[in-house]
């Protein structure tokens, strides 16, 4: 019975996070941030140290991703000192990928494209071993946007096309809906005319 009850806090946390991502996908980032802050507060109040140690920084990456979607550089900088250390033995290893991606996103919003490239290429390599959950994204989306910022649309499409193909094969919009519109919209504009018909069933749902 104790083992069964131990999963209840995790289920409650998942429910709050689902509410947050539903709000984010609908474009209501203020509501998404409020839900995620409540999830963090609930996590801190659970009194289950093992669960908190495993999930707190992972949950905070959800929060900082909402700030990325809102282009809130100040809020992202504020959370960076907490999220920047390497994950401990009890934390999810994908935090290695997420923190490199976050470093690149901060550099992008600061206008430092060279630093962003270093961080995002590192994140792309790490993602091969430690992919991030869909709600935190695929680093190739941000990397493709960087290539656009570098005035290299051909390379941007080369990076973004496998992500779009993954969405088509999985018949899922998750990676697109949980990425900022200011990133996804210009990348979708790169889809070649001869490939739009195959992707139309997916794109029409956005």
């Amino acid at each position: 019975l104790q083992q069964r009850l131990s999963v209840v806090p995790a289920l409650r946390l998942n429910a709050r996070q689902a509410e947050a991502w539903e709000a984010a996908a609908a474009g209501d980032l203020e509501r998404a941030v409020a839900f995620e802050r409540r999830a963090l507060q609930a996590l801190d109040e659970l009194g289950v140290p093992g669960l908190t140690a495993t999930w707190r920084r992972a949950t905070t990456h959800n929060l900082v991703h909402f700030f990325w979607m809102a282009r809130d550089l100040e809020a992202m900088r504020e959370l960076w000192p907490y999220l920047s250390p390497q994950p401990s033995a009890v934390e999810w290893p994908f935090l290695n990928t997420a923190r490199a991606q976050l470093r690149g996103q901060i550099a992008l919003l600061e206008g430092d494209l060279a630093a962003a490239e270093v961080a995002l290429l590192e994140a792309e390599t790490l993602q091969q071993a430690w992919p991030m959950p869909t709600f935190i994204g695929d680093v190739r989306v941000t990397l493709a946007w960087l290539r656009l910022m570098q005035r290299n649309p051909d390379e941007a499409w080369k990076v973004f096309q496998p992500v779009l193909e993954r969405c088509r094969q999985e018949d899922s919009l998750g990676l697109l809906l949980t990425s900022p519109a200011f990133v996804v919209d210009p990348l979708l504009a790169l889809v070649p005319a001869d490939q739009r018909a195959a992707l139309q069933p997916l794109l029409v749902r956005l």
Side-chain angles (χ1 to χ4, degrees), residues 13 21 54 124 151 156 177 196 204:
L13 176 63
W21 279 107
T54 300
E124 184 184 33
R151 302 176 185 272
L177 292 176
R196 284 197 170 271
V204 75

Side-chain angles (χ1 to χ4, degrees), residues 75-113:
M76 294 168 72
R77 282 173 171 162
E78 184 178 338
L79 287 174
W80 172 247
Y82 175 64
L83 295 173
S84 61
Q86 290 186 338
S88 68
V90 300
E91 291 181 299
W92 297 100
F94 78 79
L95 294 181
N96 288 294
T97 310
R99 69 194 185 98
Q101 175 180 255
L102 175 58
R103 191 168 74 249
Q105 290 168 340
I106 289 173
L108 268 171
L109 294 184
E110 290 174 337
D112 189 342
L113 300 187

Side-chain angles (χ1 to χ4, degrees), residues 1-19:
L1 177 61
Q2 186 175 2
Q3 281 185 325
R4 291 178 181 176
L5 289 176
S6 68
V7 304
V8 172
L11 291 176
R12 288 177 179 168
L13 176 63
N14 286 342
R16 288 188 174 94
Q17 290 183 323
E19 291 175 323

Side-chain angles (χ1 to χ4, degrees), residues 95-154:
L95 294 181
N96 288 294
T97 310
R99 69 194 185 98
Q101 175 180 255
L102 175 58
R103 191 168 74 249
Q105 290 168 340
I106 289 173
L108 268 171
L109 294 184
E110 290 174 337
D112 189 342
L113 300 187
E117 181 172 27
V118 170
L120 293 174
L121 288 175
E122 177 188 352
E124 184 184 33
T125 299
L126 291 169
Q127 183 171 260
Q128 295 175 29
W130 298 308
M132 298 178 291
T134 297
F135 47 78
I136 299 179
D138 185 316
V139 68
R140 291 174 295 181
V141 177
T142 306
L143 181 58
W145 191 60
L146 166 68
R147 297 307 184 203
L148 270 185
M149 297 301 98
Q150 294 173 326
R151 302 176 185 272
N152 192 341
D154 290 341

Side-chain angles (χ1 to χ4, degrees), residues 159-180:
V159 175
F160 183 59
Q161 190 275 334
V163 179
L164 205 53
E165 178 60 19
R166 174 185 167 187
C167 292
R168 188 189 68 80
Q169 290 180 359
E170 296 177 356
D171 192 26
S172 172
L173 297 174
L175 287 173
L176 303 179
L177 292 176
T178 57
S179 297

Side-chain angles (χ1 to χ4, degrees), residues 59-79:
T59 303
T60 306
H61 268 288
N62 290 347
L63 178 61
V64 82
H65 192 75
F66 295 145
F67 292 140
W68 162 243
M69 294 175 75
R71 271 177 154 166
D72 190 338
L73 177 57
E74 183 177 348
M76 294 168 72
R77 282 173 171 162
E78 184 178 338
L79 287 174

